[in-house]
Amino acid sequence: MAAKPAAKPKAKPATKSKKKGAMKGVTVKSGGKLSVKQGAGLTQKGRDKINRETGSNLKAPAPNGKPGTKDGARKKSFCARSRGWNGERGKAARKRWKC
């Protein structure tokens, strides 16, 4: 008889997100965010701070992502996700991504 294949490990139970409050201290004045005139969004400094504190992997905007590429998929996802952003910063970010 053949041995049974090993069972997949079960998913870990949900825990509190360590990302809560990650944006605290990331401001335009500190250099972590771009102003609305500059297109809103995070600067490299802001992305580095959040990645360091939360273990995330935030990437720079991909406004010229070609369809079928990873950047193209990120752009498509961002544009779909941000479609309902009606505030000044949201509109500026969508314009920067060329949505």
Side-chain angles (χ1 to χ4, degrees), residues 19-27 32-33 41-42 46 49-50 53-54 58 89:
K19 296 179 184 183
K20 189 172 185 177
M23 291 292 292
K24 189 173 184 178
V26 180
T27 62
K33 287 184 189 174
L42 294 170
K49 180 181 189 301
I50 291 172
E53 290 180 1
T54 64
L58 296 176
R89 290 192 69 81

Side-chain angles (χ1 to χ4, degrees), residues 6-76:
K8 290 183 182 179
K10 292 190 176 184
K12 293 180 182 177
T15 58
K16 273 193 170 181
S17 173
K18 63 181 179 177
K19 296 179 184 183
K20 189 172 185 177
M23 291 292 292
K24 189 173 184 178
V26 180
T27 62
V28 174
K29 190 173 182 180
S30 72
K33 287 184 189 174
L34 293 172
S35 69
V36 173
K37 285 183 180 179
Q38 293 174 313
L42 294 170
T43 62
Q44 184 62 49
K45 181 179 176 181
R47 286 190 300 274
D48 290 343
K49 180 181 189 301
I50 291 172
N51 288 343
R52 191 171 50 249
E53 290 180 1
T54 64
S56 297
N57 187 21
L58 296 176
K59 297 177 179 75
N64 299 319
K66 305 278 187 282
T69 64
K70 282 188 177 182
D71 280 347
R74 284 181 53 228
K75 178 181 179 180
K76 182 178 179 180

